[in-house]
Amino acid sequence: MSNKLILIKKRPDFLHVTRNGFKAVKSGLILQAAETRRYFNPPVYRIGYTASKKIGNAVCRNRVKRRLRALCAALLPLEAVAGYDYVVIARYTTIDMAYKKLYKDLKYALREIKREINDSSANTAKPDE
């Protein structure tokens, strides 16, 4: 897998993740994940970023998204599950939060979602008879 993150750009893909996925809420961000609707060979993970106007003006929103992109570039190659789309939603506290705290929040959110994915795949697998 390449080091470059594949971005989610289309609204239907964001809506799919919101409606059909797992969610982890932390103090600095919200992370959502869902199985991808698109086919990639080999399976990859994709990432989308959201910062609403509640965060602040355009300068604040862009700064928050730059911080989230840097965090995701560092953590997703280590923690993400291939074949899933991830959406990171900024919260109002993301602007002023220390980078280390945001890093921890994203790391724990990724691990929480990975655990949920593993639990759901274990529940859907048929037991051997």
Side-chain angles (χ1 to χ4, degrees), residues 18-129:
T18 300
R19 292 179 182 146
N20 302 315
F22 304 103
K23 184 177 184 179
V25 179
K26 300 296 175 197
S27 61
L29 53 89
I30 299 170
L31 181 66
Q32 298 174 332
E35 207 164 349
T36 188
R37 298 178 337 141
R38 305 195 187 279
Y39 176 75
F40 294 98
N41 190 16
V44 296
Y45 55 86
R46 298 187 308 158
I47 184 75
Y49 306 95
T50 302
S52 71
K53 288 188 176 183
K54 292 178 192 175
I55 303 298
N57 62 14
V59 173
C60 292
R61 292 193 306 270
N62 289 335
R63 192 170 102 218
V64 164
K65 286 193 280 187
R66 277 195 308 271
R67 294 183 86 197
L68 292 176
R69 279 194 294 270
L71 286 167
C72 289
L75 278 171
L76 280 176
L78 306 173
E79 299 286 340
V81 177
Y84 279 79
D85 291 343
Y86 293 87
V87 174
V88 181
I89 302 170
R91 300 184 81 182
Y92 186 75
T93 57
T94 310
I95 300 170
D96 300 321
M97 191 171 278
Y99 186 82
K100 283 184 179 183
K101 174 71 170 122
L102 275 175
Y103 184 90
K104 280 184 179 178
D105 280 355
L106 182 59
K107 184 177 178 180
Y108 290 131
L110 281 165
R111 287 186 177 170
E112 192 174 309
I113 285 187
K114 186 188 271 187
R115 190 176 325 111
E116 288 182 33
I117 290 169
N118 290 337
D119 289 348
S120 71
S121 64
N123 290 339
T124 58
K126 293 183 179 179
D128 293 334
E129 293 182 16

